[in-house]
Amino acid sequence: NAGVTQTPKFQVLKTGQSMTLQCAQDMNHEYMSWYRQDPGMGLRLIHYSVGAGITDQGEVPNGYNVSRSTTEDFPLRLLSAAPSQTSVYFCASSQNRGEKLFFGSGTQLSVL
Amino acid sequence: QQPVQSPQAVILREGEDAVINCSSSKALYSVHWYRQKHGEAPVFLMILLKGGEQKGHEKISASFNEKKQQSSLYLTASQLSYSGTYFCGTLSSGNTGKLIFGQGTTLQVKP
């Protein structure tokens, strides 16, 4: 089982560039979410989805877009990257909302 | 609003006990606990639902006081493998799916 797969593992962007972080799960989970992790800040929720076609904002949604066209995929789009978006990004999924989360291995993003 | 964890950091010797607390200002549906080792993804430990139940995982257990909106994680007879950062996550009443994590508690177990 692959579980939750995130790509890329590392990425360097210039300010103003756009990119998409990919997240896919093969466990048929309904719930998926994106977190960013910064030193001393813990894990902060960016966006989440309780099922295909349904997304909602988390604590820090500004500057990020998501969509959920299939159960398996939940990509995170940075529209115009800023240095403040330098962080480690984790995608996570669970069978249903409120249940045990399975995390991907993370994407380390640097914006110069 | 993020739940508040205390202490921020703990240093233990093998075999010693520790308690990590998690406090929320909102009425809670459930509390999650995860552990993250350096350079790795967080790993699930346990979920506590409102009702004040206490759950266990190896020598790690937790309680949830629904009225006080607090949870505590108990690590007994700590082992070197317990080192890492512990996060509590809270779901507010209604279980919308919005799981919010605290800032984390770093635990270091020394031989």
Side-chain angles (χ1 to χ4, degrees):
Chain A
N1 274 344
V4 180
T5 303
Q6 289 185 238
T7 55
K9 291 192 183 300
F10 302 94
Q11 183 71 48
V12 179
L13 291 177
K14 293 181 179 179
T15 298
Q17 286 184 316
S18 62
M19 80 157 295
T20 300
L21 305 185
Q22 302 291 345
C23 177
Q25 50 88 12
D26 62 357
M27 297 174 282
N28 201 31
H29 284 175
E30 290 295 321
Y31 180 89
M32 296 186 75
S33 55
W34 277 102
Y35 289 90
R36 61 176 288 174
Q37 186 171 31
D38 305 293
M41 301 293 290
L43 296 152
R44 290 184 292 170
L45 181 64
I46 304 172
H47 286 284
Y48 64 101
S49 170
V50 298
I54 305 168
T55 64
D56 207 344
Q57 295 183 348
E59 303 169 270
V60 289
N62 292 342
Y64 307 95
N65 274 1
V66 292
S67 60
R68 184 102 180 267
S69 56
T70 67
T71 299
E72 295 79 18
D73 301 298
F74 191 42
L76 179 71
R77 298 181 187 86
L78 282 70
L79 307 174
S80 177
S84 61
Q85 294 178 306
T86 293
S87 188
V88 178
Y89 291 84
F90 287 102
C91 178
S93 73
S94 62
Q95 188 65 52
N96 292 294
R97 73 181 82 177
E99 297 182 5
K100 168 185 177 180
L101 280 179
F102 294 82
F103 282 83
S105 58
T107 295
Q108 189 166 326
L109 177 68
S110 294
V111 183
L112 306 177
Chain B
Q1 191 172 359
Q2 278 188 307
V4 177
Q5 289 185 231
S6 62
Q8 288 191 330
V10 184
I11 299 176
L12 298 174
R13 294 285 181 189
E14 267 189 297
E16 291 182 338
D17 302 339
V19 180
I20 300 171
N21 299 304
C22 175
S23 178
S24 174
S25 59
K26 294 187 173 183
L28 298 178
Y29 174 83
S30 65
V31 178
H32 292 217
W33 286 96
Y34 291 78
R35 176 171 64 204
Q36 183 180 33
K37 293 189 180 286
H38 185 68
E40 299 181 5
V43 174
F44 172 80
L45 291 175
M46 64 191 76
I47 293 174
L48 299 103
L49 300 174
K50 62 180 180 180
E53 65 177 292
Q54 189 155 349
K55 301 194 75 173
H57 174 81
E58 299 173 347
K59 291 182 181 178
I60 301 173
S61 62
S63 62
F64 177 24
N65 187 321
E66 177 188 346
K67 290 182 180 178
K68 293 186 177 180
Q69 292 148 200
Q70 294 175 346
S71 178
S72 294
L73 186 71
Y74 307 94
L75 300 100
T76 58
S78 58
Q79 307 167 14
L80 294 175
S81 62
Y82 286 1
S83 293
T85 301
Y86 290 78
F87 293 99
C88 70
T90 56
L91 271 171
S92 297
S93 295
N95 189 16
T96 60
K98 199 169 181 178
L99 182 64
I100 305 298
F101 284 97
Q103 79 279 21
T105 295
T106 300
L107 177 72
Q108 186 180 2
V109 181
K110 294 185 174 182

